[in-house]
Every structure is written in structure tokens, then in C-alpha cells.
Amino acid sequence: MAEQRDVIEVLEHDHREVEEMFSELESLRGADTEDAKSRRKKLTETVTVELVRHSVAEEVLVYPQVDDKISKEEADHAREEHAEAEETLTRLEKLDADDPVFEAELSTLMEEIRHHVEDEEGQMFAEMRRVIDEDELRKLGSRVEAFKKVAPTRPHPNVPNEPLPRTAAGPAASLFDRMRDAATGFGSGD
Ligand SMILES: [Fe+2]
Ligand SMILES: [Fe+2]
């Protein structure tokens, strides 16, 4: 069996996957074939699921450790950045890929996430390495991976081939709720 990755390796791997999807989305910018449009919408959904799952895992399993061992302010700053990205994702989910606003919202999302990833990798994770021992980091890594396995994998599981339901809150918002429900129990215990 492969050695358990520590939590920072797990989270940084997620960041790289999201960045790859962002690059592909940027390369599809302005392409107006039906294929390109459906690929953009699909990729946006995949990136949404990945970002929500990753963010909820951090909020439930990682940031509480940062509160305790590094700085409550730093963890709160990260939580605020998640909340902003959550709002952007919720707006984005309600738009078609050929809506002119879609591009603008997608750019906002990429900017927010790239900035947030820089903060985490440049500061928070480096501090975690200094103050949390490797055993503990690996234990957290396995809990994050376990959470990711039980988290929902689709933004709106009941409407496979139909246009998204235009609910007031939007599917991304309900996805956050479902991920947070799935996270119940993962934050407690050692
Ligand atoms: Fe992250
Ligand atoms: Fe984060």
C-alpha cells in the first residue's frame, strides 16, 4: 500500500487539479462551437464540485487546527475567502456558458481562487509544517481523503440531462449544504 500522503500534499494536489481545469477553461474562452460550450459548462460543474468538496474539507478538518495552533485571524481570513468564492459559484451556476456574464463571473472565480491558493500555500501551509508534526499531518491527510470519498460528486444529482433548475439559491448553494451535511462527524474526534 502506498504511504499515506500528508494533508498538505493532499490539498496541494487538489489545488493543481483545479488550476489545470482553470487553464482549460481559459483556453476555451471565446470558442463558440456547441462542443466548446458544453465542455465549458461541464468543466465548470466539475470545478465547482471539486472546489466545494475541498473547501468544506478544509473548513471542517484543517482550519480548526489553524485556529488552535497558528492563528484564528488567519483561519478566519481563509473562511471569508471561501465565502466569497461560494457566492461567485452560486451566481455562476445560474448562468449558461454563452451568457456574456458567464465569462466575467468565471474570471472573478479564478482570481479569487488563485489568490486564496497563494495565501494557503505561501503562508498557512508553511506554518502548519512548522507547528504540526508529520504524524499528525498524515492523520489529517487520511481524514481529508475519507471525507472526499463520501462527499457528493455532482452539483445536482437528480437532473442528469436537463437544464439546471433555476432555484433561488442555486444548485451550487445546495451543493455546499450537502457537502456540509456529509462532513458531519468528520470534524470530531481524533
Ligand atoms: Fe485549499
Ligand atoms: Fe481554502
Side-chain angles (χ1 to χ4, degrees):
M1 208 175 108
E3 199 182 325
Q4 173 63 50
R5 292 183 299 167
D6 75 33
V7 69
I8 293 166
E9 291 167 331
V10 173
L11 296 174
E12 289 187 344
H13 183 256
D14 288 350
H15 291 168
R16 298 293 85 75
E17 278 184 347
V18 165
E19 280 164 7
E20 269 173 43
M21 288 188 261
F22 281 171
S23 299
E24 188 178 348
L25 280 165
E26 283 177 323
S27 77
L28 290 167
R29 179 167 286 166
D32 63 358
T33 63
E34 282 310 308
D35 272 3
K37 275 189 265 181
S38 76
R39 178 74 187 144
R40 287 170 64 73
K41 192 69 196 171
K42 179 87 201 93
L43 263 176
T44 304
E45 277 185 21
T46 309
V47 94
T48 298
V49 171
E50 183 52 35
L51 283 172
V52 177
R53 185 162 52 177
H54 175 94
S55 304
V56 172
E58 285 179 339
E59 287 170 18
V60 173
L61 297 167
V62 182
Y63 295 171
Q65 301 283 325
V66 177
D67 285 332
D68 289 351
K69 293 172 181 146
I70 300 167
S71 136
K72 172 105 175 69
E73 264 162 40
E74 192 172 329
D76 281 344
H77 177 73
R79 289 182 182 101
E80 275 162 32
E81 290 182 344
H82 281 190
E84 272 170 37
E86 176 173 354
E87 282 174 24
T88 309
L89 284 170
T90 302
R91 293 192 303 271
L92 197 54
E93 264 288 347
K94 292 186 228 172
L95 298 167
D96 291 319
D98 52 3
D99 189 309
V101 185
F102 185 92
E103 271 314 324
E105 292 291 3
L106 193 57
S107 297
T108 301
L109 179 72
M110 291 186 197
E111 225 171 87
E112 287 170 341
I113 297 298
R114 282 170 174 153
H115 165 82
H116 179 69
V117 163
E118 255 178 57
D119 276 3
E120 285 187 336
E121 295 190 9
Q123 193 177 344
M124 182 190 281
F125 292 176
E127 288 166 351
M128 284 169 64
R129 273 222 187 284
R130 273 201 298 278
V131 301
I132 306 176
D133 69 53
E134 186 55 33
D135 236 33
E136 192 60 33
L137 289 175
R138 264 201 289 271
K139 217 184 283 173
L140 273 174
S142 98
R143 288 166 75 193
V144 166
E145 285 178 338
F147 168 68
K148 289 184 72 182
K149 281 193 194 120
V150 303
T153 55
R154 310 204 50 201
H156 33 79
N158 301 322
V159 281
N161 292 310
E162 287 156 40
L164 303 183
R166 270 22 179 199
T167 59
S174 67
L175 180 64
F176 273 95
D177 287 344
R178 282 158 51 224
M179 296 268 185
R180 286 185 176 123
D181 286 347
T184 308
F186 274 81
S188 56
D190 251 21

